[in-house]
């Protein structure tokens, strides 16, 4: 199921949402267009690696990881949801509070991700502490949660794709 649009129209131009979409897209394209190895190296350099965060190293990746994406579908999915739902939340919060909320949700998601690894099985924990996490999904999930609270009766037009296995 993919959202196509919501029937809530915003009252102002969602400049911060457009900025976030542009920034995420430009960062991805910058690394992707240089080749898959460059993208992989960038994910390792700018993604959140839980082991480093727990050691107090590379804390800046808690921020940079929000602008990194693993592939085109990852980026497109995140930006679609941000485009459809971000404008109304930005309208309700105001530009500065919206940007702050977005960043705090992204930081919170990274910290919850690290915490979830720490409480996982010991054999899984060791491996997962070294895998970089990237994407704006945590920040966008916060935006979706705010949208649900602010507009509980909003109508969302969606594309539903079904197939049957015979």
């Amino acid at each position: 199921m993919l959202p196509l649009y919501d029937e809530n129209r915003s009252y102002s131009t969602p400049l911060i949402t457009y900025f976030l979409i542009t920034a995420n897209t430009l960062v991805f394209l910058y690394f992707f267009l240089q080749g898959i190895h460059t993208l992989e190296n960038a994910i390792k350099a700018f993604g959140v690696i839980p082991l480093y965060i727990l050691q107090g190293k590379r804390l800046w990746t808690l921020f940079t990881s929000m602008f990194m994406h693993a592939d085109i579908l990852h980026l497109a999915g995140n930006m679609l949801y941000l485009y459809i739902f971000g404008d109304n939340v930005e309208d309700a919060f105001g530009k500065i509070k919206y940007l702050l909320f977005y960043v705090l949700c992204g930081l919170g998601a990274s910290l919850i991700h690290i915490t979830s690894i720490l409480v996982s099985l010991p054999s899984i924990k060791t491996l997962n502490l070294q895998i970089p996490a990237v994407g704006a999904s945590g920040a966008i999930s916060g935006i979706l949660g705010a949208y649900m609270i602010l507009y509980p009766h909003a109508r969302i037009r969606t594309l539903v794709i079904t197939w049957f296995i015979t």
Side-chain angles (χ1 to χ4, degrees):
M1 178 167 55
L2 289 173
L4 299 174
Y5 62 93
D6 65 337
E7 293 184 354
N8 275 348
R9 295 294 162 225
S10 56
Y11 296 106
S12 63
T13 304
L15 296 176
I16 301 299
T17 299
Y18 292 162
F19 166 76
L20 291 169
I21 291 169
T22 302
N24 277 282
T25 303
L26 289 176
V27 167
F28 176 77
L29 290 175
Y30 176 77
F31 294 114
F32 180 74
L33 293 176
Q34 294 181 57
I36 193 68
H37 295 296
T38 302
L39 178 61
E40 288 173 356
N41 289 334
I43 288 172
K44 291 174 188 171
F46 299 110
V48 167
I49 298 177
L51 183 62
Y52 292 153
I53 302 302
L54 293 171
Q55 294 172 345
K57 300 176 184 174
R58 296 178 48 180
L59 297 177
W60 47 269
T61 61
L62 289 166
F63 179 76
T64 58
S65 66
M66 284 186 262
F67 295 93
M68 298 296 301
H69 289 82
D71 58 41
I72 291 173
L73 286 177
H74 184 206
L75 174 72
N78 276 342
M79 297 307 102
L80 173 67
Y81 278 82
L82 184 57
Y83 177 75
I84 291 173
F85 301 105
D87 60 341
N88 296 113
V89 178
E90 181 177 343
D91 219 15
F93 282 17
K95 304 210 178 304
I96 301 301
K97 287 180 185 175
Y98 172 72
L99 181 60
L100 183 61
F101 181 73
Y102 179 91
V103 170
L104 288 175
C105 287
L107 293 173
S110 289
L111 295 175
I112 290 170
H113 169 70
I114 293 167
T115 303
S116 72
I117 292 172
L118 291 175
V119 298
S120 65
L121 297 172
S123 59
I124 297 171
K125 184 187 318 183
T126 305
L127 175 65
N128 286 343
L129 284 173
Q130 299 172 28
I131 299 172
V134 295
S137 302
I140 294 169
S141 293
I143 300 299
L144 292 174
Y147 185 94
M148 287 174 38
I149 290 170
L150 292 167
Y151 308 102
H153 302 292
R155 296 184 65 151
I156 313 299
R157 297 293 178 182
T158 58
L159 172 65
V160 179
I161 303 170
T162 61
W163 65 87
F164 297 96
I165 300 173
T166 58

